Amino acid sequence: MTPVSSHSPHGRSPLRTVQVLGGGNAASGAHVRSLAAGLVARGVRVTVCAPADADHTYGFTGTGADHVHVPRSSDPGSVAALRAACTDADLVHAHGLHASFRTVLALSGRRTPLVVTWHDRTHADGPRGHFLRVLERRVVKAATVVLGTTSALVDRARRTGARDARLAAVSLPGTRTPPGPEDPDRLRPKIRAELGATGRPLLIAVGSLERRRGYTTLLDAAHAWSRLDPVPLVVVAGEGQLRGELQRRIEDEELPVRLLGRRDDVSDLLAAADLALLPGRSEARSPFAQEALHARVPLVATGAGGIPELVGDAAELVPYGNARALADAVVRLLDDPDRRELLKERGTRQAATWPTEDETVAQVLSVYDELTRPRPLA
């Protein structure tokens, strides 16, 4: 591979980039940390502009990058803080719609190249939906390059008016706590016993307890699994505003579901699971889907967003919001060990096609080099 330059467009000092994150979700936060680490290792000066709690969560400064606290969009001082942080930048890279819009405002009147990455699409209806579409148009028309994590996002950016939209290489950073020294064959029954899944199938879902994650559909589907013998146990790792509502349903309807709250041992939970479930929508490059395939755990997911493009034929795909289809897919897989083994093998092959962290950084740096390279005089 041809080395990519990390020098400034003037050739006198290392390239200085600013990464802008609005707090973000787990996928974008982990991506920015991975990107910062790779860029710093290649001699690029990196400043990450994000709320202080994001640095505490993702450890941007631990990569060698600088961190500047920039309040969330609801704070009236956020644009001014961002404008100051971007003063000497050779290039600014914003992640997510709200962070990108504030960056467009902060760079108003400057000629600094702006790269925008869309990690996912924001869903909303009514007046808020109209407002978000206005933001999208403003962002894509101001951006020098828009990177989309799925083909659908790239197409959407082009339809919205982007002058240059490209498919982004986005890897799965190593964000989970790695397994300890304990033998995995011993760890699996230990975790299953702790969860109450000894002698019964264990199904796992991971993600914040939000409406778009499809947990209402998951609970609807759990009624069908309650009639199986033995009854599968569904565990959900995540926290959020729906916890009370979901817990009440679990108790009132006596569903075989446990809400585990936030967990830092998702890799271990996956290693103990028989199936992984992804019932939500608006998943572009779902970290959990990638982890499941890497861990050789058969996945049942909705065919929404970027999931079909991500997993190919390595998962059982069902319509979003269709509890019957979700329940039936799980029952079929639990009854068909050959199908589960086939999905494990397909998952391994599919995961091998995804970009590595090194390839992701190389692609992004090549875009930076293209946008900051001095143009010949006419």
Side-chain angles (χ1 to χ4, degrees), residues 202-356:
L202 178 62
L203 319 180
I204 180 174
V206 174
S208 55
L209 305 184
E210 302 173 11
R211 195 73 60 186
R212 68 185 179 89
R213 296 288 186 178
Y215 292 130
T216 298
T217 302
L218 178 62
L219 296 191
D220 291 341
H223 280 283
W225 306 328
S226 298
R227 296 191 290 270
L228 300 180
D229 184 19
V231 177
L233 174 65
V234 184
V235 296
V236 180
E239 195 55 84
Q241 59 186 1
L242 289 186
R243 183 182 182 94
E245 175 183 327
L246 296 175
Q247 189 62 50
R248 283 190 295 275
R249 277 200 60 188
I250 291 169
E251 294 172 0
D252 292 345
E253 300 169 30
E254 298 182 341
L255 299 175
V257 179
R258 284 189 59 189
L259 304 181
L260 303 181
R262 289 190 179 89
R263 300 285 293 232
D264 59 4
D265 60 346
V266 170
S267 295
D268 292 343
L269 294 175
L270 262 174
D274 296 291
L275 298 180
L277 308 179
L278 191 65
R281 67 177 181 181
S282 188
E283 295 280 357
R285 294 190 67 88
S286 164
F288 179 59
Q290 294 177 72
E291 286 183 283
L293 267 59
H294 273 297
R296 292 175 55 84
V297 178
L299 174 68
V300 180
T302 59
I307 291 297
E309 183 177 353
L310 177 67
V311 303
D313 64 355
E316 294 285 352
L317 299 181
V318 299
Y320 171 73
N322 190 323
R324 173 61 65 85
L326 176 61
D328 289 348
V330 167
V331 172
R332 285 196 305 271
L333 275 181
L334 291 177
D335 286 341
D336 191 345
D338 291 338
R339 177 66 178 172
R340 295 200 303 272
E341 194 60 34
L342 176 62
L343 288 180
K344 291 178 183 180
E345 297 301 323
R346 288 179 175 176
T348 298
R349 291 197 297 269
Q350 183 71 11
T353 69
W354 296 332
T356 64

Side-chain angles (χ1 to χ4, degrees), residues 140 143-147 154 157-158 161-166 370-371:
V140 299
T144 315
V145 172
V146 177
L147 300 175
V154 173
R158 288 172 178 159
R163 47 186 149 162
D164 187 342
R166 313 177 192 184
E370 173 189 335
L371 300 184

Side-chain angles (χ1 to χ4, degrees), residues 2-307:
T2 304
V4 181
S5 169
S6 63
H7 295 289
S8 75
H10 308 294
R12 289 195 293 268
S13 61
L15 182 71
R16 179 172 181 247
T17 70
V18 173
Q19 306 289 323
V20 184
L21 184 69
N25 56 31
S28 57
H31 173 65
V32 170
R33 189 196 190 283
S34 172
L35 194 57
L39 292 172
V40 169
R42 289 162 174 78
V44 178
R45 292 178 57 198
V46 178
T47 298
V48 179
C49 292
D53 60 345
D55 185 44
H56 294 153
T57 300
Y58 300 105
F60 303 124
T61 52
T63 68
D66 294 323
H67 171 254
V68 173
H69 169 65
V70 174
R72 300 178 189 276
S73 57
S74 57
D75 190 307
S78 62
V79 172
L82 191 54
R83 183 172 180 83
C86 296
T87 298
D88 298 321
D90 295 313
L91 178 143
V92 178
H93 189 164
H95 301 261
L97 179 59
H98 293 287
S100 299
F101 179 69
R102 286 185 294 145
T103 304
V104 168
L105 297 180
L107 294 180
S108 178
R110 298 179 179 176
R111 301 183 64 182
T112 309
L114 171 62
V115 177
V116 167
T117 294
W118 278 3
H119 294 268
D120 214 335
R121 180 187 170 188
T122 304
H123 291 267
D125 300 317
R128 176 166 172 77
H130 174 73
F131 173 69
L132 292 177
R133 288 190 292 274
V134 170
L135 294 192
E136 285 183 349
R137 287 194 294 271
R138 178 75 181 272
V139 167
V140 299
K141 290 180 179 180
T144 315
V145 172
V146 177
L147 300 175
T149 58
T150 67
S151 299
L153 288 173
V154 173
D155 291 343
R156 182 177 179 83
R158 288 172 178 159
R159 291 195 305 270
T160 309
R163 47 186 149 162
D164 187 342
R166 313 177 192 184
L167 186 63
V170 178
S171 63
L172 173 66
T175 58
R176 301 296 188 191
T177 302
E182 196 166 356
D183 184 347
D185 291 335
R186 293 180 57 192
L187 188 63
R188 177 181 169 91
K190 177 182 176 182
I191 291 176
R192 292 175 71 95
E194 291 173 351
L195 295 174
T198 300
R200 61 195 295 199
L202 178 62
L203 319 180
I204 180 174
V206 174
S208 55
L209 305 184
E210 302 173 11
R211 195 73 60 186
R212 68 185 179 89
R213 296 288 186 178
Y215 292 130
T216 298
T217 302
L218 178 62
L219 296 191
D220 291 341
H223 280 283
W225 306 328
S226 298
R227 296 191 290 270
L228 300 180
D229 184 19
V231 177
L233 174 65
V234 184
V235 296
V236 180
E239 195 55 84
Q241 59 186 1
L242 289 186
R243 183 182 182 94
E245 175 183 327
L246 296 175
Q247 189 62 50
R248 283 190 295 275
R249 277 200 60 188
I250 291 169
E251 294 172 0
D252 292 345
E253 300 169 30
E254 298 182 341
L255 299 175
V257 179
R258 284 189 59 189
L259 304 181
L260 303 181
R262 289 190 179 89
R263 300 285 293 232
D264 59 4
D265 60 346
V266 170
S267 295
D268 292 343
L269 294 175
L270 262 174
D274 296 291
L275 298 180
L277 308 179
L278 191 65
R281 67 177 181 181
S282 188
E283 295 280 357
R285 294 190 67 88
S286 164
F288 179 59
Q290 294 177 72
E291 286 183 283
L293 267 59
H294 273 297
R296 292 175 55 84
V297 178
L299 174 68
V300 180
T302 59
I307 291 297

